Amino acid sequence: MGSNEIKSPGEFSETPVGLSSDSFRRKKLGVYFKESDLRRTAIGGGYVGSGTTPVNLRRKPITDLSKTGGWFAAFFIFGNEMAERMAYFGLSVNMVAFMFYVMHRPFSSSADAVNNFLGISQVSSVLGGFLADAYLGRYWTIVIFTTIYLLGLIGITLSATMSIFMPNQAQCDQISLLLGNCEQSKSWQMIYLYTVLYITGFGAAGIRPCVSSFGADQFDERSKDYKSHLDRFFNFFYLSVTVGAIAAFTMIVYIQIKHGWGSAFGSLAIAMGISNMVFFIGTPLYRHRLPGGSPLTRVAQVLVAAFRKRSKSFSSSELVGLYELPGKHSAIKGSGKIAHTDDFRCLDKAALQLKEDGVDSNPWKLCTVTQVEEVKILIKLLPIPACTIMLNVILTEFLTLSVQQAYTLNTYMGHLKLPVTCMPVFPGLSIFLLLSLYYSVFVPLFRQITGHPRGATQLQRVGIGLAVSILSVAWAAIFENYRRNYAIKNGLEFMFLSPMPNLSAYWLLIQYCLIGIAEVFTIVGLLEFLYQEAPDAMRSIGSAYAAVAGGLGCFAATILNNIIKSATGNLDKVKPSWLSQNINTGRFDYLYWLLTGMSLINFCIFLYCARRYEYRTETGVDIGERNATDKVATPLGGKT
């Protein structure tokens, strides 16, 4: 067994003029590598073949890729996401009304419960992403968690169909609801409802981070059209999300009105069951990626090894080099090698191979450069999805608070009266229209402005979405101020569940359509960005970043609402809060202006983070080599 030393400090006998020896070593640390196979590999034992070679369900290399993957396989995967989002939005828009009208809970507590459901369904994606990348693979993670999701939906259907799970509905008209005179739901009934609701949310944990990544896995990275296919895939993927949302806001609402809550929730369960069957039918067509072992263990190993060598110097005479396995293949299953970067240099000490390490080093003391770079990438990615939390706060507030606005407005379209719960369909329609026109209208337009072949970089698209979200919430504040003043001026201040005949609900379409445009630019750009930038063996974790940002936005909305209620309301002085159940005595417009200010600050932070971000090199390189592509600054999208 031998070693292949690429460079070592001893080979540099001269120091360039103007640089101290220590400065030179710091600048050139990236060329100090020693590749050696004289150690045990505790990460999963090396990977045979290319680091990202697709395998079949039995984890054997696929001999004929032409018979698997591609768009045909991806369309089986779209159906699963469509049903999941149909259930997600169907519950989010109907559950507030169900808790108010059937379970006799106040609007505010109902909205908080739904926000928590939305948050759990997204934040728990970290668990699903971890299981997929570490042990199960994306396919089996989707299979397990879609089953959990289906069980939760069945439980919710039972709560809406069996009278034992509901309080008595007799003598409970609208006046009794307003006065709080209806029979209150028993504590165990609410515990049951919350349990099955949160089980459903937990079921999304394995779907949300895996479906988009699993679909993208179906395309061949070696194809010259790979990036074009990937770009179109994420647009089609979000189109399937939008179709699910539109179905939830129209078909499910119609079923609820015509046949009741049990039929509405039951139809969601049936749709999920059918989508699961379709997903299973496509099994022979799927390409899989090997799970690379526990990503958390690899991260912990880097942190522990770097801490142990924190006092060691890069200029030490004991330095052998930065450690990496020989050849083109990584020690991590499902991952190619990652070129060394100069970011977070303190972490490089985890790969600092000293003479004392010997030839059989413990990975808790010495890590490969690729393993260290994985951790660096995860850290560098964090600020971008973090900047989308604010967008998700706005989305959450619109999904719950705008329903209260719509109750006070005229929802007639000619002679057709649309149910209030149908109003959120309009963001979905705007997304559908935007995605349909994206390649024929927006890409050519943006290409002329940016010069980018696909119209805009991923981070530019995220930035456009965040900017449009500011316009959306600012318009919401302007219109809410007008709506409230109109109600007071016409003596309708206390009729907050009755529509005002001369004020159309379709003024809400402006904020709905703007937030739809913001969502499609931000989320599609973010999903593609995270998939391409995340380490090969951590792509589910990377996709989970977007879902976690969505979940944190839901929780942040709940926390913000509770702070506002306690800070602006006073029951002793009969002072209503901004978020009073009677929207006409509350000040929703103040909340929207607050969100506008917070969004502006968030957008400035995003601009700073995006300008500093450097995209990963586009092709895999052997350690010690650099991509020859020059890094050119773009107007909004880091460096590429």
Side-chain angles (χ1 to χ4, degrees):
M1 300 178 71
S3 66
N4 175 24
E5 186 173 340
I6 297 177
K7 289 284 185 180
S8 75
E11 291 181 46
F12 293 94
S13 57
E14 297 182 7
T15 302
V17 177
L19 285 177
S20 67
S21 176
D22 182 65
S23 173
F24 179 64
R25 286 192 175 94
R26 288 184 59 80
K27 293 287 186 182
K28 299 295 183 181
L29 182 61
V31 298
Y32 295 162
F33 291 98
K34 181 176 178 63
E35 290 190 337
S36 174
D37 55 4
L38 297 179
R39 67 167 282 183
R40 69 177 186 269
T41 304
I43 307 175
Y47 189 72
V48 179
S50 171
T52 56
T53 299
V55 297
N56 58 28
L57 193 58
R58 296 186 296 277
R59 302 191 177 187
K60 303 296 182 182
I62 298 173
T63 55
D64 187 359
L65 290 179
S66 65
K67 295 181 179 179
T68 62
W71 284 106
F72 191 54
F75 279 111
F76 283 94
I77 298 169
F78 287 148
N80 191 266
E81 179 64 11
M82 191 184 303
E84 188 275 323
R85 289 307 175 95
M86 180 177 167
Y88 175 82
F89 287 111
L91 291 176
S92 63
V93 74
N94 284 296
M95 190 54 67
V96 173
F98 176 75
M99 288 187 179
F100 179 75
Y101 286 107
V102 178
M103 305 305 290
H104 307 154
R105 305 293 298 173
F107 261 127
S108 57
S109 64
S110 301
D112 287 345
V114 172
N115 287 349
N116 290 336
F117 158 72
L118 301 178
I120 288 174
S121 69
Q122 298 187 78
V123 170
S124 58
S125 297
V126 173
L127 174 62
F130 168 77
L131 291 174
D133 285 341
Y135 305 111
L136 300 175
R138 290 187 255 279
Y139 174 84
W140 288 113
T141 304
I142 294 171
V143 169
I144 292 170
F145 281 87
T146 52
T147 303
I148 295 173
Y149 206 114
L150 180 58
L151 292 175
L153 289 174
I154 293 172
I156 292 174
T157 303
L158 293 177
S159 72
T161 54
M162 300 181 67
S163 58
I164 189 175
F165 293 116
M166 296 178 284
N168 192 346
Q169 305 298 310
Q171 299 179 345
C172 185
D173 54 19
Q174 190 173 54
I175 299 299
S176 299
L177 276 172
L178 295 176
L179 298 176
N181 293 334
C182 294
E183 179 183 308
Q184 296 296 301
S185 54
K186 298 179 177 62
S187 58
W188 71 266
Q189 291 172 331
M190 292 308 302
I191 290 173
Y192 171 80
L193 179 59
Y194 287 148
T195 299
V196 293
L197 183 63
Y198 295 148
I199 286 174
T200 306
F202 179 70
I207 303 174
R208 197 69 53 81
C210 295
V211 173
S212 61
S213 297
F214 189 51
D217 287 345
Q218 307 309 309
F219 299 95
D220 188 358
E221 292 181 350
R222 296 167 297 181
S223 168
K224 64 178 182 179
D225 298 323
Y226 173 67
K227 285 210 166 185
S228 175
H229 285 317
L230 207 61
D231 183 53
R232 289 179 180 272
F233 165 77
F234 281 105
N235 278 282
F236 277 117
F237 174 80
Y238 212 71
L239 188 63
S240 69
V241 171
T242 304
V243 171
I246 292 173
F249 296 137
T250 54
M251 183 176 68
I252 302 304
V253 170
Y254 175 82
I255 292 173
Q256 184 272 313
I257 293 173
K258 292 294 184 181
H259 304 286
W261 297 101
S263 297
F265 295 142
S267 63
L268 296 177
I270 293 171
M272 179 57 71
I274 293 173
S275 75
N276 288 355
M277 292 175 59
V278 172
F279 181 76
F280 295 147
I281 291 172
T283 297
L285 300 172
Y286 300 145
R287 298 173 183 174
H288 306 263
R289 304 297 172 102
L290 287 176
S294 171
L296 297 184
T297 300
R298 296 202 300 276
V299 170
Q301 287 172 343
V302 170
L303 298 179
V304 170
F307 180 78
R308 283 179 167 177
K309 292 183 177 177
R310 64 191 181 281
S311 60
K312 303 297 182 181
S313 172
F314 291 119
S315 59
S316 170
S317 60
E318 295 293 310
L319 174 65
V320 175
L322 293 181
Y323 178 72
E324 184 56 85
L325 291 186
K328 297 182 179 180
H329 309 312
S330 165
I332 304 165
K333 287 183 178 180
S335 175
K337 282 186 176 179
I338 304 176
H340 176 268
T341 64
D342 292 325
D343 302 306
F344 306 109
R345 296 172 70 91
C346 59
L347 295 178
D348 283 327
K349 293 192 175 183
L352 198 64
Q353 186 173 20
L354 306 176
K355 293 178 181 178
E356 65 187 48
D357 289 318
V359 297
D360 193 28
S361 299
N362 189 317
W364 292 93
K365 295 181 180 179
L366 179 64
C367 302
T368 65
V369 169
T370 293
Q371 190 176 344
V372 173
E373 290 300 320
E374 276 190 332
V375 180
K376 290 183 182 180
I377 291 170
L378 289 181
I379 295 173
K380 287 189 288 186
L381 288 178
L382 273 174
I384 303 302
C387 288
T388 66
I389 292 175
M390 196 63 232
L391 170 69
N392 288 288
V393 171
I394 297 172
L395 286 168
T396 303
E397 297 288 19
F398 277 4
L399 201 58
T400 54
L401 300 184
S402 62
V403 172
Q404 286 181 256
Q405 289 178 290
Y407 271 116
T408 70
L409 301 170
N410 177 7
T411 60
Y412 273 95
M413 182 181 289
H415 295 291
L416 176 65
K417 186 180 189 302
L418 291 182
V420 167
T421 45
C422 271
M423 294 303 293
V425 74
F426 291 101
L429 292 175
S430 65
I431 292 173
F432 187 87
L433 180 63
L434 176 60
L435 289 174
S436 301
L437 299 176
Y438 185 78
Y439 290 102
S440 60
V441 177
F442 290 95
V443 169
L445 176 64
F446 288 143
R447 188 183 293 131
Q448 292 182 359
I449 299 172
T450 65
H452 193 276
R454 293 191 301 279
T457 67
Q458 296 145 1
L459 291 182
Q460 285 171 341
R461 281 182 276 167
V462 174
I464 291 170
L466 294 179
V468 175
S469 73
I470 298 172
L471 299 178
S472 174
V473 74
W475 167 259
I478 293 171
F479 176 70
E480 172 55 22
N481 179 266
Y482 177 82
R483 188 210 61 77
R484 180 180 182 275
N485 290 337
Y486 183 92
I488 294 173
K489 181 180 178 181
N490 288 276
L492 302 172
E493 184 175 359
F494 298 102
M495 303 298 290
F496 65 93
L497 286 180
S498 299
M500 296 179 284
N502 296 321
L503 188 58
S504 174
Y506 297 101
W507 284 104
L508 294 174
L509 296 191
I510 297 176
Q511 69 197 52
Y512 278 150
C513 292
L514 286 174
I515 200 64
I517 294 171
E519 185 179 2
V520 71
F521 273 104
T522 300
I523 305 302
V524 173
L526 182 64
L527 286 173
E528 185 179 344
F529 168 77
L530 292 173
Y531 181 82
Q532 289 199 260
E533 294 296 301
D536 294 332
M538 293 185 176
R539 279 175 169 166
S540 295
I541 292 289
S543 297
Y545 272 13
V548 169
L552 292 177
C554 296
F555 289 132
T558 298
I559 294 170
L560 179 63
N561 290 350
N562 289 331
I563 292 174
I564 288 175
K565 289 173 193 173
S566 61
T568 62
N570 191 319
L571 294 177
D572 295 334
K573 297 181 180 180
V574 198
K575 178 186 177 183
S577 74
W578 290 1
L579 298 177
S580 170
Q581 180 157 297
N582 182 347
I583 187 175
N584 295 326
T585 59
R587 295 306 305 244
F588 281 27
D589 53 333
Y590 288 176
L591 171 62
Y592 288 145
W593 281 125
L594 176 63
L595 293 175
T596 303
M598 294 169 66
S599 297
L600 279 169
I601 296 171
N602 177 75
F603 183 66
C604 293
I605 295 172
F606 170 78
L607 290 178
Y608 174 78
C609 295
R611 289 289 297 174
R612 289 180 58 86
Y613 186 83
E614 292 186 5
Y615 286 95
R616 288 179 62 190
T617 51
E618 296 196 0
T619 57
V621 295
D622 290 343
I623 297 301
E625 298 179 5
R626 295 288 182 178
N627 191 299
T629 305
D630 292 334
K631 293 180 178 179
V632 182
T634 56
L636 174 65
K639 299 175 182 179
T640 184

